Amino acid sequence: EVQLLESGGGLVQPGGSLRLSCGASGFTFSNYAMGWVRQAPGRGLEWVSTMTGVSGDTYYADSVKGRFTISRDSSKNTLFLQMNSLRDADTAVYFCAKVAIFGVVRVFDSWGQGTLVTVSS
Amino acid sequence: DIQMTQSPSSLSASVGDSVTITCRASQSISRHLNWYQQKTGKAPRLLIYGASSLYSGVPSRFSGRGSGTEFTLTISNLQPEDFASYYCQQSYSTQNTFGQGTNLEIK
């Protein structure tokens, strides 16, 4: 059974930094792309970033490009999101998700429970 | 970026009804369109991928159609557990985008 467990959320001041972690189990972590999706309070889902499995290619939403960095440690089956220069608008629950490919279609087929990041002074 | 426009933003229906949610892409995304269900306080759950393929374990009352720029999600014979929020997502571009969501409420 796939399990994803996020950690590292909390309260941070504007301009501050935070690093989120996502521990993965139940699948061969290094073979799969992984991503982060966030949800501001009372709002919809927003894709944040994806990192491929083998090649390690990274992709970012324009709203976080240059401030957030996605990375992974396959020896520890862990995905990270380093968040710098945080803004009030970054306040959200951050979900870690596993990418599956069905034919040529990529989906987020497994999700963690999320970790709350609050940016406030 | 590819913009996804979902409608309606909210919907009221009764148990046993059928409802349809529409998602439009700002450019053609072929059939790279997925649907997710999210209940309050929970992680999203994949329902439909590739516009019309039912994900494992999802009841057959959920169905998806469309290609190019216009897509629909239909839920037939609504059950109490179906009242939730629904999101479309395009994965045609490496910069994925979600629709703004549809909140399905009990009438």
Side-chain angles (χ1 to χ4, degrees), chain A residues 37 39 43-45 47 59-62 65 95 102 104-109 111-112, chain B residues 1 32 34 36 38 42-44 46 49-50 55 87 89 91-96 98:
Chain A
V37 175
Q39 186 169 36
R43 305 293 296 272
L45 301 173
W47 171 77
Y59 306 94
Y60 297 94
D62 289 345
K65 200 173 295 181
F95 295 100
F102 296 114
V104 295
V105 177
R106 289 171 286 116
V107 303
F108 292 118
D109 69 331
W111 297 67
Chain B
D1 290 5
H32 294 250
N34 311 309
Y36 298 84
Q38 186 183 33
K42 300 294 187 181
L46 177 65
Y49 64 91
Y55 185 58
Y87 295 90
Q89 177 223 7
S91 57
Y92 179 82
S93 165
T94 52
Q95 289 203 311
N96 296 177
F98 287 90

Side-chain angles (χ1 to χ4, degrees), chain B residues 3-93:
Chain B
Q3 307 302 317
M4 305 302 294
T5 303
Q6 220 176 301
S7 61
S9 57
S10 64
L11 187 55
S12 294
S14 301
V15 172
D17 286 352
S18 290
V19 297
T20 296
I21 300 167
T22 298
C23 185
R24 291 185 173 88
S26 59
Q27 65 183 74
S28 177
I29 57 170
S30 184
R31 296 177 61 83
H32 294 250
L33 190 284
N34 311 309
W35 291 97
Y36 298 84
Q37 176 193 66
Q38 186 183 33
K39 297 184 177 178
T40 303
K42 300 294 187 181
R45 168 198 179 198
L46 177 65
L47 297 175
I48 301 278
Y49 64 91
S52 61
S53 296
L54 204 62
Y55 185 58
S56 174
V58 176
S60 59
R61 62 180 180 273
F62 291 90
S63 62
R65 297 187 65 179
S67 66
T69 61
E70 186 149 340
F71 303 86
T72 59
L73 171 71
T74 297
I75 313 171
S76 303
N77 187 23
L78 277 168
Q79 296 300 298
E81 61 267 29
D82 300 335
F83 293 93
S85 294
Y86 293 86
Y87 295 90
C88 62
Q89 177 223 7
Q90 67 80 17
S91 57
Y92 179 82
S93 165

